[in-house]
Amino acid sequence: GPIIKDLVEIFSACAIGSSMAGASVSLVDFFEDAIDKFVQSHKSDPSTDENGEAAVFDAPSKRLLAAFCALGPPVILAYSFPDIFLVALEEAGLLGGVSLYGILPALSLLSLRRSTTDTDTPIPKMPGRVGGGDTALYALVGVSSLLVVPEVIRLGSMVLS
């Protein structure tokens, strides 16, 4: 009923909010570190304060600059093109999903199998081995690539035109 619908909406909002908060904090911290590196690499510049020491951002202004660098461009983009999120999600869906769940795991398993056969260490018997052996893994990479390649070509033609 309506109570379940409201609970699902609240859960969805909390899930999206917590995901956004984690990604945002990480990106802001990344930009803070980048600002620190930039300041350290330019300490020999003639821009110094009254004590002759290199001028450095104080913590609140550095955090504010990092937050603007991290969150400003996505906010401007979202307000300029309100429907771009759905388009990006649609484009990333096939490419990201097939790459993440089709190509990368199969290539990882093939690499692991090849590295264990190069050494004289026996391959341990593990539950959940892929049936069909290497042939099935190569087939998975092939089918996944057949799905991804046309999309990459289409996106490349959009960029070039």
Side-chain angles (χ1 to χ4, degrees), residues 46-133:
S47 58
T48 57
D49 62 9
E50 63 275 357
N51 297 331
E53 296 178 3
V56 183
F57 290 110
D58 60 336
S61 64
K62 181 175 70 170
R63 186 85 175 161
L64 185 63
L65 177 63
F68 178 76
C69 289
L71 305 175
V75 168
I76 292 168
L77 191 66
Y79 278 113
S80 299
F81 306 100
D83 295 333
I84 200 165
F85 177 75
L86 295 176
V87 172
L89 198 59
E90 181 180 318
E91 294 300 330
L94 178 66
L95 293 175
V98 170
S99 299
L100 187 62
Y101 298 119
I103 296 173
L104 292 177
L107 291 177
S108 297
L109 280 174
L110 287 168
S111 174
L112 178 67
R113 288 180 181 180
R114 185 165 291 119
S115 69
T116 55
T117 56
D118 290 345
T119 64
D120 292 330
T121 310
I123 299 174
K125 293 287 182 192
M126 298 179 1
R129 276 183 72 96
V130 177

Side-chain angles (χ1 to χ4, degrees), residues 12-28 70-71 74-75 85:
S12 299
C14 289
I16 292 170
S18 64
S19 177
M20 289 284 298
S24 299
V25 168
S26 298
L27 194 55
V28 169
L71 305 175
V75 168
F85 177 75

